Amino acid sequence: MEPFTFRNGELYAEGVAAAAIVEELGTPCYIYSRAMVESQWLAFDQAFGGREHLVCYAVKANSNLAILNVLARLGSGFDIVSGGELERVLRAGGEPSKVIYSGVGKTVREIGRALETGIHAFNVESEAELEQINQVAGGLNKIASVALRVNPDVDINTHPYVATGLKESKFGIPIDMAAGVAADARHLPNIRLVGLACHIGSQLTEMAPFIEALERVLELVDDLNDSGVDLAYLDLGGGLGIGYYDEQPPEPDEFVMALMEKLQTMGTRYRHLQIIIEPGRAIVGNAGALLTQVMYLKHNGSRNFAVIDAAMNDLMRPALYDAWHEIIPFAQHSQQEAYLYDIVGPVCESGDFLGRDRELAIAAGDYLAVLSAGAYGSSMSSNYNTRPRAAEVMVDGDRFHIIRRRETIDDLMSPESLLPESQVVK
Ligand code: LLP
């Protein structure tokens, strides 16, 4: 579906004029389409047909409580990477029994809390972590269900910062060491090994690396089977990309069906395995936009700048990964002269740009929408330069709801304190 469209030359999000939202809330402001978030999740879920499965939304992509709640209402599971994300899922009404806990550095406290709430399983990334979980579970008199997150050493075509499946990456257990770790796990009394997991990277636009990873993981399932380990699930991670520019990744249903087809051709011995996936970006990425206002136009000889009121602290992806986001004006028709603009924010860094060399016919005061900003936008935002984080809005048909109010300067400073008055020594 297309959540952002033009009606009579004006930008709309579902049935709401973008102009009406900024009039009420000001800018910068994130907006999300509820219908798109839901339809993306459902597309993943329904493509599994009768196969036992769980779609665990990757909370890190966008952890706003309202987004989590909308997904929890559909029956979504959640992939978390911290105790904070676990509390968000619980507060949003997510079921702990559908939570998968990933990440290389789980603390003792986080492990304990996850065990208390009764999560589905931990995806374990090292032998040391396995022993730690065993110990914490022992102290609580519980058995921890775990999957080994293996690193299948698959090379993928994505930004190096978001590739995770290569041998040299910090993630996962090298696949050739996994059988040894599984054997050791048998001697840990408070561990039950129930699955294998892998996640090879993010913003992948082709099926081939996913299929390759699946083949390698299935070989390991066979090895483990031969040594008497009977697994209950396979977690194939997230990573399905979206169209930012001209990429044409598989749709969620095509992604799931390609995996299911591969599983089927590999034989009937995997039929009993529950399949878990952890998509983040593909669910929320194109459902969100960052709305911003042009404050000043600057023509410096050879370059033209549009200084906007959103910045790298609001959307870090262009600065961090040189990521490309489409930037469009709210109004389709303009009397202004078009220039090639660098779209820059007020932060004191040369890396503070949201787009470069964009042809736009704009004037100071105009509003712009930065598209494909629903994933890793607000969740990676910061207060750098003491900038309050943007407001967030969920559009639902012809209504909209504020799902995060704009931070105030007081919010930002409230955890801080001054030193005590200095004592005057006489
Ligand atoms: N599962 C695990 C274990 C992950 O590490 C990730 C993402 C996901 C699932 C979800 O991946 P997705 O379906 O969203 O691709 N900040 C970067 C992306 C970092 C992804 C980190 N891991 C960006 O803005 O492009």
Side-chain angles (χ1 to χ4, degrees):
M1 77 164 286
E2 254 329 310
F4 304 109
T5 53
F6 282 95
R7 292 190 191 173
N8 298 324
E10 295 294 321
L11 181 66
Y12 270 70
E14 296 192 23
V16 178
I21 298 175
V22 299
E23 193 174 312
E24 187 169 324
L25 274 108
T27 46
C29 163
Y30 275 101
I31 61 173
Y32 311 110
S33 155
R34 176 179 183 175
M36 173 133 189
V37 170
E38 291 184 338
S39 68
Q40 293 297 99
W41 187 90
L42 287 167
F44 278 113
D45 189 59
Q46 289 168 353
F48 280 98
R51 172 106 200 189
E52 209 197 320
H53 70 278
L54 188 55
V55 179
C56 290
Y57 167 68
V59 173
K60 65 170 87 67
N62 188 321
S63 53
N64 185 288
L65 289 176
I67 300 252
L68 302 182
N69 174 252
V70 157
L71 293 171
R73 291 189 207 189
L74 296 179
S76 183
F78 296 93
D79 164 55
I80 60 163
V81 290
S82 72
E85 288 189 349
L86 175 57
E87 298 309 326
R88 281 185 176 276
V89 168
L90 298 176
R91 207 168 292 185
E95 280 177 46
S97 63
K98 291 182 178 174
V99 168
I100 293 288
Y101 195 163
S102 307
V104 294
K106 306 173 187 83
T107 66
V108 167
R109 188 194 291 251
E110 288 173 324
I111 294 167
R113 174 73 175 140
L115 283 167
E116 271 167 22
T117 60
I119 64 166
H120 190 52
F122 295 89
N123 282 350
V124 170
E125 306 226 6
S126 65
E127 189 136 22
E129 184 195 328
L130 195 61
E131 281 159 19
Q132 181 76 274
I133 294 175
N134 179 57
Q135 204 167 29
V136 179
L140 293 170
N141 217 359
K142 289 190 184 283
I143 305 287
S145 293
V146 306
L148 300 183
R149 171 166 174 191
V150 298
N151 191 333
D153 196 24
V154 173
D155 200 358
I156 57 170
N157 177 22
T158 190
H159 192 282
Y161 284 10
V162 296
T164 51
L166 277 176
K167 236 192 215 144
E168 56 264 38
S169 123
K170 74 173 177 181
F171 298 101
I173 298 166
I175 196 153
D176 45 5
M177 291 170 68
V181 178
D184 292 347
R186 290 185 145 189
H187 306 297
L188 300 174
N190 294 84
I191 294 288
R192 182 186 301 130
L193 179 59
V194 291
L196 288 179
C198 70
H199 168 81
I200 52 178
S202 200
Q203 185 52 17
L204 305 196
T205 53
E206 295 162 13
M207 271 324 287
F210 290 113
I211 298 289
E212 199 180 323
L214 175 59
E215 280 171 358
R216 295 196 186 171
V217 172
L218 289 177
E219 278 171 27
L220 181 57
V221 173
D222 291 342
D223 288 353
L224 294 182
N225 251 330
D226 293 345
S227 55
V229 183
D230 198 15
L231 299 174
Y233 79 83
L234 271 192
D235 178 346
L236 301 174
L240 179 61
I242 60 171
Y244 285 98
Y245 185 59
D246 58 0
E247 309 90 332
Q248 291 190 319
E251 292 294 323
D253 56 341
E254 294 169 338
F255 167 83
V256 169
M257 286 189 299
L259 293 174
M260 293 305 102
E261 211 176 285
K262 181 74 201 173
L263 265 170
Q264 253 160 26
T265 60
M266 299 292 285
T268 53
R269 62 191 182 286
Y270 310 114
R271 246 196 328 221
H272 66 289
L273 289 174
Q274 179 192 41
I275 303 298
I276 296 179
I277 53 170
E278 306 170 349
R281 188 190 318 261
I283 292 177
V284 288
N286 276 333
L290 173 62
L291 308 184
T292 175
Q293 188 174 30
V294 178
M295 296 192 292
Y296 307 105
L297 295 181
K298 242 178 114 164
H299 302 277
N300 278 6
S302 62
R303 292 207 79 76
N304 306 298
F305 297 96
V307 184
I308 57 173
D309 63 3
M312 65 187 287
N313 74 296
D314 300 301
L315 180 61
M316 203 177 170
R317 304 192 68 258
L320 191 57
Y321 315 115
D322 217 4
W324 196 94
H325 287 258
E326 189 170 355
I327 301 176
I328 56 171
F330 279 21
Q332 248 175 341
H333 309 291
S334 160
Q335 310 297 326
Q336 308 301 320
E337 202 176 328
Y339 290 96
L340 276 187
Y341 285 104
D342 284 358
I343 316 290
V344 301
V347 163
C348 300
E349 299 263 355
S350 302
D352 181 27
F353 63 90
L354 295 190
R356 282 182 169 147
D357 289 325
R358 304 302 175 88
E359 188 175 332
L360 290 169
I362 46 175
D366 284 359
Y367 289 101
L368 302 174
V370 183
L371 301 183
S372 310
Y376 307 107
S378 128
S379 64
M380 289 176 74
S381 65
S382 79
N383 293 121
Y384 188 38
N385 280 204
T386 306
R387 288 170 52 82
R389 264 173 294 192
E392 295 180 77
V393 163
M394 178 89 75
V395 177
D396 188 4
D398 52 13
R399 291 181 308 164
F400 66 91
H401 307 279
I402 300 172
I403 58 170
R404 180 185 167 100
R405 67 164 169 80
R406 186 179 309 288
E407 276 175 341
T408 65
I409 301 288
D410 279 343
D411 288 335
L412 266 56
M413 285 186 282
S414 67
E416 301 177 30
S417 26
L418 303 177
L419 293 183
E421 293 277 326
S422 56
Q423 309 248 322
V424 183
V425 184
K426 288 205 176 142

